[in-house]
Amino acid sequence: DGAQDFLDERGVSVYSESFQATETDFSTQLLKLKQNKVDFILVIAYDKQTLQVISKIKELDLEASIFSAWMWQDSDFENNKDILSDTYNTRSSYMFGLNKDAVKFNEDFKTKFGSNPSQFSAVGCDLSLLIGKNNLNTPEKLNALKVLNGINGEIEQGQYGELNFPVKVIQFVEDE
């Protein structure tokens, strides 16, 4: 609702559709968006549903830019090129190795597990560092912390306890 208020104040029309966690066909919601001739669709869902929604957007031939809030890994893109190609997505800073801690984390993870880390691995690492380095062993201590500099960059605790960290927007494009 906060994002909608922000955009409304700036004269941007927002159409919002939701679905149940068990839903697999998103035609009803997407046809409403198509009828409203939207320019941009932001998909906020877990990975499996995001892929299903994006597939349906393409199947229904909605002429809108597609943005996924899910932080896809390179392997996800490789495995789903047909769906994710030409979509815009977020990447956290650690995925670009923007600081020495992120580079070391990526190298150590790949050495130990044989694959690249996911965003959950990086966020989990940052939370572990946050709690361990700052001896945050009570909710009061954890809630008092405002900023952590971790492998994701500068992480702040938001108004509702959520973690905010820098992300970049990239466009997946299939090489020809």
Side-chain angles (χ1 to χ4, degrees):
D1 289 337
Q4 180 141 5
D5 292 342
F6 175 83
L7 293 169
D8 285 344
E9 290 170 5
R10 285 148 183 83
V12 176
S13 297
V14 177
Y15 302 94
S16 177
E17 295 293 329
S18 60
F19 52 85
Q20 298 298 314
T22 56
E23 190 151 357
T24 58
D25 180 3
F26 308 92
S27 297
T28 302
Q29 296 91 334
L30 293 172
L31 288 171
K32 288 179 189 176
L33 296 177
K34 186 173 184 172
Q35 182 180 1
N36 285 305
K37 298 180 179 154
V38 298
D39 297 314
F40 186 87
I41 299 173
L42 170 61
V43 181
I44 302 174
Y46 288 112
D47 56 344
K48 183 177 178 184
Q49 285 182 313
T50 297
L51 288 171
Q52 292 170 333
V53 170
I54 293 172
S55 290
K56 188 58 79 170
I57 290 169
K58 291 182 175 188
E59 179 185 316
L60 295 172
D61 199 29
L62 270 82
E63 294 182 17
S65 296
I66 304 167
F67 181 87
S68 163
W70 190 259
M71 287 191 228
W72 299 104
Q73 309 301 303
D74 290 336
S75 59
D76 295 321
F77 179 69
E78 286 300 316
N79 295 331
N80 299 285
K81 285 181 187 177
D82 55 326
I83 298 169
L84 293 176
S85 188
D86 295 321
T87 62
Y88 295 89
N89 302 270
T90 56
R91 288 285 179 104
S92 65
S93 296
Y94 91 89
M95 294 172 129
F96 293 103
L98 294 180
N99 63 53
K100 65 178 175 47
D101 293 330
V103 171
K104 182 169 178 11
F105 173 77
N106 287 334
E107 290 171 354
D108 291 350
F109 191 97
K110 189 155 190 160
T111 299
K112 185 170 184 175
F113 300 106
S115 65
N116 292 319
S118 73
Q119 74 271 14
F120 300 113
S121 303
V123 171
C125 179
D126 273 344
L127 289 174
S128 298
L129 291 171
L130 178 139
I131 292 167
K133 283 184 176 179
N134 296 289
N135 193 27
L136 302 175
N137 53 8
T138 67
E140 294 79 23
K141 287 181 180 179
L142 188 58
N143 288 329
L145 186 70
K146 296 298 177 207
V147 178
L148 163 75
N149 193 5
I151 60 175
N152 280 300
E154 193 171 90
I155 301 171
E156 297 177 327
Q157 183 176 352
Q159 167 181 0
Y160 302 106
E162 74 279 11
L163 294 178
N164 301 315
F165 53 89
V167 295
K168 297 193 177 301
V169 176
I170 64 164
Q171 181 179 21
F172 281 133
V173 178
E174 188 173 355
D175 291 335
E176 298 197 17

